[in-house]
Amino acid sequence: MTLTGIHHLTAITADAAGNNEFYTRTLGLRRVKKTVNQDDTSAYHLFYADGAGSPGTDLTFFDWPAARERRGTRSISRTGLRVAEASLDYWAGRLRDAGLAAGAPVLLDGRGSVDFEDPEGQRLRLIADDGGPAHPWDRSAVPADHQIRGLGPITISVPDLRPTQTVLTQVMGMRQTRSYASPDGEGQVHVFQMGAGGAAAELHVAVQPGLPVARQGAGAVHHVAFRVPDNAAIHDWAQRLHEMRVPNSGEVERYYFRSLYFREPGGNLFEIATDTPGFAVDEPFETMGDALSLPPFLEPRRAQIEAGLKPLA
């Protein structure tokens, strides 16, 4: 039983149309699924990814009319987006041209990086990483060589390392490999690896007891998900969490993947999700993400759901 890396990350927006514009136009990602939150069908659930909609590339958003987040600990505090090392200067210039604050690339934990925020304050970090496959989108506003390749690393903030460390290593099978000083000067960051390792398979844990407890809102992250191959693996993880007495949701059918959810001791919501069946399960690969997709159990309510959603433009 091995987690192979980051599967997706889900954040919160209070401006679905602006969010769609920024992530598809400025960041050049492909919208691979336009659907709704299965637990709150009044809200969009938008999925942005690489050209193939590959697991490990999905940055997703719930559209909720929320005030801005209050930053602090007990939160998922920064999302890494992997790009080719030669692309960092391109991206620093592109972000500045879009009116965003982005400095020159700096070296962080041995990798080139550029920190920036989206228009709602979502904290993002471009990370130089030439490893793994790339699946560019041929309709992206960003040239193929510079497109975002996927997620990772993901940084979480906790007030105390030990309880979170125990769950990551003893329950989830991650390996603690190194640490570095937080670039904001607040605490030490400890690196945990999954599977084959590398930026796409790292969780960075910032220990920050001096920060207030965060409050979720627009610009915050809701949860981070980790990869397993298929339903058999999810069954095994559900059994493992049960045997180790970790409170969890049990298996949840999300149609595009199967999941289970639990909170680590630092308060952050984790998900384990399958790589299969993927986003082309209910629409053609060439047009996936263009129209509103609904899982079969919501399809009878399509007219009602569509009537409650705002146009994305």
Side-chain angles (χ1 to χ4, degrees), residues 262-282:
F262 61 100
R263 288 194 184 273
E264 56 85 21
N268 293 295
L269 183 60
F270 285 174
E271 177 182 356
I272 298 175
T274 61
D275 285 353
T276 55
F279 296 117
V281 68
D282 62 346

Side-chain angles (χ1 to χ4, degrees), residues 126-214:
L126 294 166
I127 292 287
D129 178 42
D130 292 324
H135 301 285
W137 180 36
D138 59 7
R139 288 188 283 158
S140 176
V142 174
D145 290 348
H146 296 312
Q147 286 182 32
I148 292 168
R149 301 164 67 96
L151 295 172
I154 305 301
T155 302
I156 69 173
S157 174
V158 299
D160 180 10
L161 177 62
R162 189 175 297 277
T164 296
Q165 178 187 50
T166 297
V167 168
L168 295 182
T169 58
Q170 297 185 20
V171 177
M172 301 177 72
M174 297 188 192
R175 308 179 300 278
Q176 188 171 356
T177 61
R178 60 188 186 275
S179 65
Y180 61 95
S182 175
D184 60 10
E186 184 69 45
Q188 196 78 0
V189 182
H190 302 264
V191 178
F192 294 81
Q193 290 187 340
M194 296 161 272
E202 288 179 0
L203 184 70
H204 291 202
V205 181
V207 182
Q208 300 174 316
L211 296 183
V213 174

Side-chain angles (χ1 to χ4, degrees), residues 57-310:
T57 73
D58 310 327
L59 181 56
T60 93
F61 287 85
F62 295 144
D63 168 36
W64 285 330
R68 288 288 181 95
E69 71 161 332
R70 181 182 68 197
R71 293 180 177 178
T73 191
R74 299 190 183 276
S75 68
I76 300 167
S77 55
R78 194 169 291 271
T79 301
L81 303 172
R82 297 179 291 106
V83 297
E85 185 169 6
S87 298
L88 285 178
D89 287 329
Y90 165 87
W91 275 104
R94 181 176 179 85
L95 295 171
R96 288 194 296 269
D97 289 346
L100 301 174
V106 299
L107 196 64
L108 179 67
D109 187 35
R111 300 183 180 114
S113 68
V114 175
D115 286 1
F116 67 105
E117 298 179 7
D118 81 0
E120 292 183 287
Q122 186 69 229
R123 287 171 283 178
L124 304 167
R125 173 175 292 149
L126 294 166
I127 292 287
D129 178 42
D130 292 324
H135 301 285
W137 180 36
D138 59 7
R139 288 188 283 158
S140 176
V142 174
D145 290 348
H146 296 312
Q147 286 182 32
I148 292 168
R149 301 164 67 96
L151 295 172
I154 305 301
T155 302
I156 69 173
S157 174
V158 299
D160 180 10
L161 177 62
R162 189 175 297 277
T164 296
Q165 178 187 50
T166 297
V167 168
L168 295 182
T169 58
Q170 297 185 20
V171 177
M172 301 177 72
M174 297 188 192
R175 308 179 300 278
Q176 188 171 356
T177 61
R178 60 188 186 275
S179 65
Y180 61 95
S182 175
D184 60 10
E186 184 69 45
Q188 196 78 0
V189 182
H190 302 264
V191 178
F192 294 81
Q193 290 187 340
M194 296 161 272
E202 288 179 0
L203 184 70
H204 291 202
V205 181
V207 182
Q208 300 174 316
L211 296 183
V213 174
R215 182 184 64 226
Q216 284 196 338
V221 174
H222 188 267
H223 65 268
V224 60
F226 306 100
R227 293 176 64 179
V228 294
D230 51 32
N231 287 353
I234 279 285
H235 299 334
D236 290 342
W237 277 99
Q239 182 64 27
R240 179 174 179 82
L241 294 178
H242 174 73
E243 290 173 352
M244 301 195 77
R245 299 183 179 180
V246 176
N248 66 90
S249 65
E251 296 179 45
V252 180
E253 181 55 68
R254 294 303 189 195
Y255 191 49
Y256 310 111
F257 42 83
R258 193 168 180 85
S259 299
L260 62 85
Y261 302 83
F262 61 100
R263 288 194 184 273
E264 56 85 21
N268 293 295
L269 183 60
F270 285 174
E271 177 182 356
I272 298 175
T274 61
D275 285 353
T276 55
F279 296 117
V281 68
D282 62 346
E283 55 184 339
F285 174 83
E286 293 75 17
T287 59
M288 65 183 186
D290 291 351
L292 180 69
S293 294
L294 296 175
F297 74 92
L298 290 178
E299 192 60 48
R301 298 171 52 197
R302 174 175 286 273
Q304 173 195 355
I305 290 170
E306 285 186 325
L309 296 172
K310 302 180 292 285

